[in-house]
Amino acid sequence: MKINKVSIKTAIVLTCAGILAACTNLESTVEQQTPQTNNNVVPVKTTSNKLSNAYYRALIVDGVYQTSQNRGVSLELNSSVNMKDFETGLLDVSRSVFSTEEYYFQEGQIISEQTASSWLGRQSEENPDGLNPAGNGATDAESRAPNYLSQIVEQDYMIQTDKGFEIGGIAIGLAMNQIDYYTTKDDKDRIYTHEQKLDLAKVEENAKQYGNKIVERLRQTEGLGSIPIVVGIFVQSPQDSLAGGVYTFEGLSTEGNSVAEWVPRNEKKVLFPSDIESEDASHFANFKNEIQSFFPNLSGVTGVGYYKNSQLHNLEIDIMTQFYGETEIIAFTQHITDAASQYLPQNTQIEIKVESIDGIESFVARDQGTQNFTYHIFD
């Protein structure tokens, strides 16, 4: 098992080695870096601006943004929407522990690509650190031992001291399968794809065990004995779903080798139009009918609602068009803002994209708690 060693005093990535290591003569600046005459100094600074208080300023080492050490094995999930929600959702989990005012963001530099591959594999004599259950030789969905854990993502949260930047916290996201997609071959090497549906309660139970094991392993790394580690459990949506997965549990370990308590996140995604009757579904249907009557040749209108504690937090709507005229897009976008103001839920963050085969034609948005929409029409 290979975990990149880290010193809590100076947790900075060395560009020459590509690992996180204890180092000396590190000099950090938050604003512009002054020229250095000492070639041994690795200049470190942060982005000076934040897009909003919801984002972290990022750490820049020697003028380069540091990508994840295990990026090669953590980029693929069931779909692109799952990948996006897996990473951005972990930021939301982290914000409740690591303030965006006090901490700086750096992609994971502790779990190496080799380690991540080992942990994601099945447990075996050759791979004793594998977190997924050992294979049993079965290939049918009824008796096969499934892969529960799909991906691991690490995010590092840095703090600034008079000696430079040091690691102040770690976030670990575990992407879990609720459908395990796998392939088999016949005697003529023809490939067949299968689906194995998993029990959600069993998925989450295993995820908590995996999270505790990862915390225990990280605690064995020099400098991480008392660093806060937050773990989020992400359950993927199926491959063909337009809605991504959600984080179902989060847990924090401030000391010791396990998470002290797993807290439910109470999140869900709902795809609109929906067969389930609700006030939000009715609002969306009225909005859809209104804009389709204005431009009846639309290819499709779909929405994904994100709910937290049973309340609609934000709604993302995609509208596919079959027309490309500039004046048509302008008129349609203006009508969308009128219809959205009239029919869509109030006090909800709204994002609406108008797309064609050429890409995004226009964008309409409203922040939560505001009444007015902003828009942009792309040339």
Side-chain angles (χ1 to χ4, degrees):
M1 181 177 66
K2 181 181 178 182
I3 299 180
N4 291 330
K5 290 188 176 181
V6 60
S7 166
I8 186 174
K9 295 300 182 182
T10 49
I12 301 296
V13 177
L14 293 177
T15 56
C16 59
I19 62 172
L20 212 64
C23 51
T24 58
N25 287 328
L26 284 172
E27 191 162 327
S28 60
T29 61
V30 176
E31 301 301 332
Q32 295 296 321
Q33 177 71 32
T34 57
Q36 301 292 329
T37 57
N38 184 349
N39 292 331
N40 292 326
V41 172
V42 179
V44 180
K45 62 180 181 179
T46 71
T47 52
S48 57
N49 295 313
K50 292 194 298 181
L51 299 180
S52 77
N53 289 332
Y55 296 104
Y56 293 91
R57 283 173 287 181
L59 210 63
I60 309 296
V61 179
D62 202 15
V64 178
Y65 179 79
Q66 302 298 305
T67 58
S68 171
Q69 285 290 305
N70 66 347
R71 190 172 183 81
V73 295
S74 62
L75 290 180
E76 294 185 4
L77 289 179
N78 284 347
S79 63
S80 59
V81 290
N82 273 309
M83 189 69 250
K84 172 180 175 290
D85 292 342
F86 182 40
E87 292 189 335
T88 58
L90 187 58
L91 286 171
D92 187 52
V93 170
S94 300
R95 277 192 289 267
S96 62
V97 181
F98 310 119
S99 167
T100 59
E101 296 296 323
E102 300 176 14
Y103 290 84
Y104 302 87
F105 177 85
Q106 183 169 262
E107 291 194 31
Q109 302 296 315
I110 299 169
I111 302 175
S112 69
E113 182 174 346
Q114 178 183 341
T115 297
S117 296
S118 173
W119 291 358
L120 290 169
R122 290 188 181 276
Q123 191 177 53
S124 65
E125 290 185 5
E126 296 77 20
N127 185 32
D129 293 320
L131 294 173
N132 276 302
N136 58 10
T139 58
D140 63 290
E142 295 299 322
S143 55
R144 171 181 174 270
N147 283 294
Y148 290 98
L149 177 62
S150 177
Q151 293 295 344
I152 300 170
V153 66
E154 172 201 347
Q155 295 173 355
D156 296 338
Y157 293 90
M158 317 299 289
I159 55 176
Q160 187 177 22
T161 71
D162 55 359
K163 296 181 181 179
F165 290 92
E166 46 185 68
I167 192 163
I170 300 169
I172 299 294
L174 305 179
M176 307 298 295
N177 297 321
Q178 59 177 330
I179 299 177
D180 183 16
Y181 300 93
Y182 65 100
T183 59
T184 58
K185 286 184 179 181
D186 62 14
D187 54 3
K188 296 183 179 180
D189 285 337
R190 289 175 294 198
I191 299 175
Y192 301 89
T193 302
H194 309 272
E195 298 181 7
Q196 185 174 6
K197 294 183 179 180
L198 309 179
D199 178 68
L200 180 58
K202 182 66 174 177
V203 169
E204 293 174 335
E205 177 187 341
N206 285 346
K208 294 173 184 177
Q209 295 177 8
Y210 301 157
N212 285 332
K213 288 182 180 179
I214 290 175
V215 168
E216 181 180 9
R217 292 171 182 179
L218 289 175
R219 292 291 186 217
Q220 297 172 7
T221 306
E222 180 185 353
L224 299 185
S226 59
I227 292 293
I229 302 174
V230 63
V231 182
I233 296 173
F234 178 84
V235 179
Q236 294 194 79
S237 62
Q239 285 181 343
D240 57 356
S241 175
L242 296 177
V246 295
Y247 277 85
T248 59
F249 282 90
E250 64 181 65
L252 176 65
S253 172
T254 55
E255 59 182 2
N257 293 329
S258 63
V259 168
E261 179 184 8
W262 293 99
V263 180
R265 295 273 297 172
N266 296 322
E267 299 178 2
K268 68 175 181 178
K269 295 279 184 69
V270 174
L271 184 64
F272 296 108
S274 175
D275 295 332
I276 302 175
E277 293 186 5
S278 68
E279 186 176 4
D280 294 330
S282 178
H283 288 157
F284 181 86
N286 291 334
F287 169 78
K288 179 182 177 182
N289 291 336
E290 174 64 24
I291 63 173
Q292 283 183 326
S293 65
F294 189 76
F295 277 109
N297 60 339
L298 297 180
S299 299
V301 182
T302 58
V304 176
Y306 167 67
Y307 287 79
K308 195 168 186 177
N309 297 321
S310 301
Q311 297 295 317
L312 181 61
H313 189 267
N314 67 279
L315 176 61
E316 297 180 0
I317 298 175
D318 284 307
I319 302 172
M320 293 298 299
T321 68
Q322 296 179 355
F323 52 86
Y324 316 105
E326 183 75 11
T327 55
E328 289 178 305
I329 293 294
I330 292 172
F332 186 45
T333 302
Q334 290 174 161
H335 185 66
I336 286 174
T337 60
D338 293 339
S341 298
Q342 181 176 357
Y343 294 110
L344 294 181
Q346 300 297 315
N347 300 317
T348 297
Q349 180 177 321
I350 305 289
E351 296 179 5
I352 304 172
K353 287 188 297 184
V354 179
E355 299 181 81
S356 70
I357 58 173
D358 295 325
I360 299 179
E361 301 288 349
S362 65
F363 180 79
V364 176
R366 183 188 69 195
D367 289 335
Q368 191 172 30
T370 62
Q371 299 298 319
N372 297 325
F373 283 87
T374 59
Y375 69 92
H376 183 80
I377 296 174
F378 295 85
D379 294 331

mmCIF file of all heavy atoms in Angstrom, residues 314-339:
data_model
loop_
_atom_site.group_PDB
_atom_site.id
_atom_site.type_symbol
_atom_site.label_atom_id
_atom_site.label_comp_id
_atom_site.label_asym_id
_atom_site.label_seq_id
_atom_site.Cartn_x
_atom_site.Cartn_y
_atom_site.Cartn_z
ATOM 1 N N ASN A 314 -32.717 23.769 -5.909
ATOM 2 C CA ASN A 314 -32.465 24.389 -7.206
ATOM 3 C C ASN A 314 -33.024 23.515 -8.324
ATOM 4 O O ASN A 314 -33.222 22.300 -8.155
ATOM 5 C CB ASN A 314 -30.971 24.669 -7.428
ATOM 6 C CG ASN A 314 -30.134 23.420 -7.542
ATOM 7 O OD1 ASN A 314 -29.764 22.823 -6.537
ATOM 8 N ND2 ASN A 314 -29.829 23.003 -8.764
ATOM 9 N N LEU A 315 -33.295 24.154 -9.443
ATOM 10 C CA LEU A 315 -33.911 23.494 -10.596
ATOM 11 C C LEU A 315 -33.119 23.867 -11.839
ATOM 12 O O LEU A 315 -32.948 25.046 -12.151
ATOM 13 C CB LEU A 315 -35.366 23.939 -10.734
ATOM 14 C CG LEU A 315 -36.153 23.417 -11.933
ATOM 15 C CD1 LEU A 315 -36.256 21.899 -11.910
ATOM 16 C CD2 LEU A 315 -37.553 24.050 -11.958
ATOM 17 N N GLU A 316 -32.606 22.845 -12.539
ATOM 18 C CA GLU A 316 -31.864 23.045 -13.779
ATOM 19 C C GLU A 316 -32.706 22.539 -14.937
ATOM 20 O O GLU A 316 -33.123 21.379 -14.950
ATOM 21 C CB GLU A 316 -30.526 22.314 -13.732
ATOM 22 C CG GLU A 316 -29.582 22.815 -12.646
ATOM 23 C CD GLU A 316 -28.260 22.072 -12.617
ATOM 24 O OE1 GLU A 316 -28.091 21.152 -13.457
ATOM 25 O OE2 GLU A 316 -27.406 22.400 -11.781
ATOM 26 N N ILE A 317 -32.940 23.406 -15.925
ATOM 27 C CA ILE A 317 -33.810 23.081 -17.056
ATOM 28 C C ILE A 317 -33.006 23.165 -18.347
ATOM 29 O O ILE A 317 -32.267 24.121 -18.572
ATOM 30 C CB ILE A 317 -35.014 24.044 -17.111
ATOM 31 C CG1 ILE A 317 -35.861 23.900 -15.840
ATOM 32 C CG2 ILE A 317 -35.869 23.780 -18.350
ATOM 33 C CD1 ILE A 317 -37.001 24.896 -15.748
ATOM 34 N N ASP A 318 -33.159 22.148 -19.195
ATOM 35 C CA ASP A 318 -32.542 22.125 -20.521
ATOM 36 C C ASP A 318 -33.640 22.173 -21.575
ATOM 37 O O ASP A 318 -34.589 21.368 -21.531
ATOM 38 C CB ASP A 318 -31.700 20.869 -20.715
ATOM 39 C CG ASP A 318 -30.368 20.943 -19.991
ATOM 40 O OD1 ASP A 318 -29.639 21.933 -20.200
ATOM 41 O OD2 ASP A 318 -30.060 20.027 -19.211
ATOM 42 N N ILE A 319 -33.480 23.086 -22.527
ATOM 43 C CA ILE A 319 -34.445 23.246 -23.613
ATOM 44 C C ILE A 319 -33.693 23.059 -24.925
ATOM 45 O O ILE A 319 -32.750 23.793 -25.223
ATOM 46 C CB ILE A 319 -35.114 24.630 -23.578
ATOM 47 C CG1 ILE A 319 -35.814 24.851 -22.236
ATOM 48 C CG2 ILE A 319 -36.101 24.786 -24.731
ATOM 49 C CD1 ILE A 319 -36.326 26.270 -22.037
ATOM 50 N N MET A 320 -34.097 22.064 -25.721
ATOM 51 C CA MET A 320 -33.496 21.823 -27.029
ATOM 52 C C MET A 320 -34.367 22.452 -28.100
ATOM 53 O O MET A 320 -35.585 22.259 -28.130
ATOM 54 C CB MET A 320 -33.347 20.321 -27.283
ATOM 55 C CG MET A 320 -32.339 19.640 -26.382
ATOM 56 S SD MET A 320 -30.653 20.280 -26.594
ATOM 57 C CE MET A 320 -30.355 19.893 -28.323
ATOM 58 N N THR A 321 -33.727 23.236 -28.970
ATOM 59 C CA THR A 321 -34.451 23.958 -30.014
ATOM 60 C C THR A 321 -34.094 23.413 -31.389
ATOM 61 O O THR A 321 -33.046 22.809 -31.587
ATOM 62 C CB THR A 321 -34.104 25.455 -29.982
ATOM 63 O OG1 THR A 321 -32.742 25.610 -30.385
ATOM 64 C CG2 THR A 321 -34.285 26.032 -28.595
ATOM 65 N N GLN A 322 -34.995 23.688 -32.363
ATOM 66 C CA GLN A 322 -34.745 23.339 -33.751
ATOM 67 C C GLN A 322 -34.611 24.587 -34.613
ATOM 68 O O GLN A 322 -34.642 24.499 -35.833
ATOM 69 C CB GLN A 322 -35.885 22.469 -34.283
ATOM 70 C CG GLN A 322 -36.001 21.115 -33.587
ATOM 71 C CD GLN A 322 -37.158 20.289 -34.118
ATOM 72 O OE1 GLN A 322 -37.932 20.756 -34.942
ATOM 73 N NE2 GLN A 322 -37.279 19.061 -33.632
ATOM 74 N N PHE A 323 -34.492 25.741 -33.997
ATOM 75 C CA PHE A 323 -34.353 26.982 -34.758
ATOM 76 C C PHE A 323 -33.061 27.677 -34.348
ATOM 77 O O PHE A 323 -32.555 27.481 -33.246
ATOM 78 C CB PHE A 323 -35.554 27.905 -34.540
ATOM 79 C CG PHE A 323 -35.861 28.161 -33.092
ATOM 80 C CD1 PHE A 323 -35.231 29.175 -32.403
ATOM 81 C CD2 PHE A 323 -36.782 27.373 -32.419
ATOM 82 C CE1 PHE A 323 -35.511 29.412 -31.067
ATOM 83 C CE2 PHE A 323 -37.065 27.613 -31.080
ATOM 84 C CZ PHE A 323 -36.427 28.621 -30.406
ATOM 85 N N TYR A 324 -32.531 28.492 -35.246
ATOM 86 C CA TYR A 324 -31.207 29.043 -35.022
ATOM 87 C C TYR A 324 -31.140 30.551 -35.259
ATOM 88 O O TYR A 324 -30.090 31.142 -35.103
ATOM 89 C CB TYR A 324 -30.190 28.350 -35.951
ATOM 90 C CG TYR A 324 -30.376 26.862 -36.013
ATOM 91 C CD1 TYR A 324 -30.942 26.257 -37.119
ATOM 92 C CD2 TYR A 324 -30.008 26.069 -34.935
ATOM 93 C CE1 TYR A 324 -31.135 24.891 -37.175
ATOM 94 C CE2 TYR A 324 -30.196 24.691 -34.976
ATOM 95 C CZ TYR A 324 -30.762 24.106 -36.098
ATOM 96 O OH TYR A 324 -30.952 22.755 -36.142
ATOM 97 N N GLY A 325 -32.227 31.164 -35.703
ATOM 98 C CA GLY A 325 -32.200 32.587 -35.993
ATOM 99 C C GLY A 325 -31.928 33.409 -34.740
ATOM 100 O O GLY A 325 -32.467 33.128 -33.668
ATOM 101 N N GLU A 326 -31.093 34.443 -34.876
ATOM 102 C CA GLU A 326 -30.731 35.277 -33.735
ATOM 103 C C GLU A 326 -31.958 35.950 -33.138
ATOM 104 O O GLU A 326 -32.123 36.008 -31.922
ATOM 105 C CB GLU A 326 -29.703 36.328 -34.183
ATOM 106 C CG GLU A 326 -29.181 37.220 -33.068
ATOM 107 C CD GLU A 326 -28.193 36.512 -32.156
ATOM 108 O OE1 GLU A 326 -27.753 35.397 -32.492
ATOM 109 O OE2 GLU A 326 -27.859 37.085 -31.094
ATOM 110 N N THR A 327 -32.832 36.476 -33.998
ATOM 111 C CA THR A 327 -34.022 37.163 -33.485
ATOM 112 C C THR A 327 -34.965 36.180 -32.798
ATOM 113 O O THR A 327 -35.625 36.529 -31.814
ATOM 114 C CB THR A 327 -34.752 37.882 -34.628
ATOM 115 O OG1 THR A 327 -35.046 36.944 -35.679
ATOM 116 C CG2 THR A 327 -33.899 39.018 -35.172
ATOM 117 N N GLU A 328 -35.028 34.952 -33.311
ATOM 118 C CA GLU A 328 -35.867 33.930 -32.668
ATOM 119 C C GLU A 328 -35.339 33.603 -31.273
ATOM 120 O O GLU A 328 -36.126 33.462 -30.318
ATOM 121 C CB GLU A 328 -35.893 32.664 -33.517
ATOM 122 C CG GLU A 328 -36.676 32.789 -34.801
ATOM 123 C CD GLU A 328 -36.621 31.513 -35.611
ATOM 124 O OE1 GLU A 328 -35.493 31.052 -35.893
ATOM 125 O OE2 GLU A 328 -37.679 30.977 -35.950
ATOM 126 N N ILE A 329 -34.029 33.448 -31.139
ATOM 127 C CA ILE A 329 -33.431 33.141 -29.838
ATOM 128 C C ILE A 329 -33.684 34.274 -28.855
ATOM 129 O O ILE A 329 -34.007 34.040 -27.678
ATOM 130 C CB ILE A 329 -31.923 32.870 -29.986
ATOM 131 C CG1 ILE A 329 -31.681 31.575 -30.782
ATOM 132 C CG2 ILE A 329 -31.242 32.787 -28.623
ATOM 133 C CD1 ILE A 329 -32.163 30.327 -30.079
ATOM 134 N N ILE A 330 -33.537 35.512 -29.318
ATOM 135 C CA ILE A 330 -33.778 36.663 -28.436
ATOM 136 C C ILE A 330 -35.222 36.671 -27.953
ATOM 137 O O ILE A 330 -35.499 36.800 -26.753
ATOM 138 C CB ILE A 330 -33.435 37.974 -29.162
ATOM 139 C CG1 ILE A 330 -31.925 38.062 -29.414
ATOM 140 C CG2 ILE A 330 -33.910 39.179 -28.345
ATOM 141 C CD1 ILE A 330 -31.524 39.232 -30.281
ATOM 142 N N ALA A 331 -36.157 36.506 -28.882
ATOM 143 C CA ALA A 331 -37.578 36.525 -28.522
ATOM 144 C C ALA A 331 -37.920 35.366 -27.590
ATOM 145 O O ALA A 331 -38.658 35.530 -26.604
ATOM 146 C CB ALA A 331 -38.434 36.463 -29.783
ATOM 147 N N PHE A 332 -37.371 34.187 -27.896
ATOM 148 C CA PHE A 332 -37.650 33.008 -27.075
ATOM 149 C C PHE A 332 -37.088 33.156 -25.670
ATOM 150 O O PHE A 332 -37.741 32.812 -24.678
ATOM 151 C CB PHE A 332 -37.074 31.770 -27.762
ATOM 152 C CG PHE A 332 -37.428 30.478 -27.085
ATOM 153 C CD1 PHE A 332 -38.717 30.214 -26.650
ATOM 154 C CD2 PHE A 332 -36.461 29.506 -26.875
ATOM 155 C CE1 PHE A 332 -39.039 29.020 -26.037
ATOM 156 C CE2 PHE A 332 -36.763 28.311 -26.262
ATOM 157 C CZ PHE A 332 -38.058 28.065 -25.835
ATOM 158 N N THR A 333 -35.886 33.668 -25.570
ATOM 159 C CA THR A 333 -35.262 33.859 -24.256
ATOM 160 C C THR A 333 -36.052 34.858 -23.419
ATOM 161 O O THR A 333 -36.241 34.660 -22.212
ATOM 162 C CB THR A 333 -33.807 34.344 -24.420
ATOM 163 O OG1 THR A 333 -33.084 33.388 -25.199
ATOM 164 C CG2 THR A 333 -33.128 34.504 -23.063
ATOM 165 N N GLN A 334 -36.530 35.912 -24.043
ATOM 166 C CA GLN A 334 -37.366 36.880 -23.319
ATOM 167 C C GLN A 334 -38.652 36.222 -22.833
ATOM 168 O O GLN A 334 -39.099 36.463 -21.703
ATOM 169 C CB GLN A 334 -37.680 38.073 -24.229
ATOM 170 C CG GLN A 334 -36.468 38.941 -24.511
ATOM 171 C CD GLN A 334 -36.735 40.043 -25.511
ATOM 172 O OE1 GLN A 334 -35.996 41.017 -25.580
ATOM 173 N NE2 GLN A 334 -37.796 39.902 -26.311
ATOM 174 N N HIS A 335 -39.238 35.375 -23.674
ATOM 175 C CA HIS A 335 -40.468 34.698 -23.269
ATOM 176 C C HIS A 335 -40.201 33.707 -22.137
ATOM 177 O O HIS A 335 -41.041 33.534 -21.241
ATOM 178 C CB HIS A 335 -41.099 33.977 -24.460
ATOM 179 C CG HIS A 335 -42.421 33.359 -24.146
ATOM 180 N ND1 HIS A 335 -43.536 34.108 -23.838
ATOM 181 C CD2 HIS A 335 -42.811 32.060 -24.065
ATOM 182 C CE1 HIS A 335 -44.561 33.303 -23.598
ATOM 183 N NE2 HIS A 335 -44.136 32.045 -23.717
ATOM 184 N N ILE A 336 -39.019 33.056 -22.163
ATOM 185 C CA ILE A 336 -38.664 32.125 -21.096
ATOM 186 C C ILE A 336 -38.625 32.842 -19.748
ATOM 187 O O ILE A 336 -39.120 32.323 -18.744
ATOM 188 C CB ILE A 336 -37.306 31.458 -21.396
ATOM 189 C CG1 ILE A 336 -37.460 30.418 -22.497
ATOM 190 C CG2 ILE A 336 -36.716 30.809 -20.138
ATOM 191 C CD1 ILE A 336 -36.148 29.824 -22.963
ATOM 192 N N THR A 337 -38.020 34.039 -19.713
ATOM 193 C CA THR A 337 -37.947 34.778 -18.442
ATOM 194 C C THR A 337 -39.343 35.123 -17.942
ATOM 195 O O THR A 337 -39.605 35.070 -16.742
ATOM 196 C CB THR A 337 -37.106 36.046 -18.604
ATOM 197 O OG1 THR A 337 -37.696 36.895 -19.590
ATOM 198 C CG2 THR A 337 -35.683 35.707 -19.009
ATOM 199 N N ASP A 338 -40.258 35.470 -18.866
ATOM 200 C CA ASP A 338 -41.640 35.773 -18.469
ATOM 201 C C ASP A 338 -42.326 34.530 -17.901
ATOM 202 O O ASP A 338 -42.956 34.578 -16.833
ATOM 203 C CB ASP A 338 -42.439 36.297 -19.660
ATOM 204 C CG ASP A 338 -41.966 37.661 -20.138
ATOM 205 O OD1 ASP A 338 -41.317 38.370 -19.338
ATOM 206 O OD2 ASP A 338 -42.234 38.003 -21.301
ATOM 207 N N ALA A 339 -42.177 33.398 -18.618
ATOM 208 C CA ALA A 339 -42.838 32.162 -18.184
ATOM 209 C C ALA A 339 -42.243 31.640 -16.889
ATOM 210 O O ALA A 339 -42.969 31.141 -16.015
ATOM 211 C CB ALA A 339 -42.729 31.106 -19.283
#
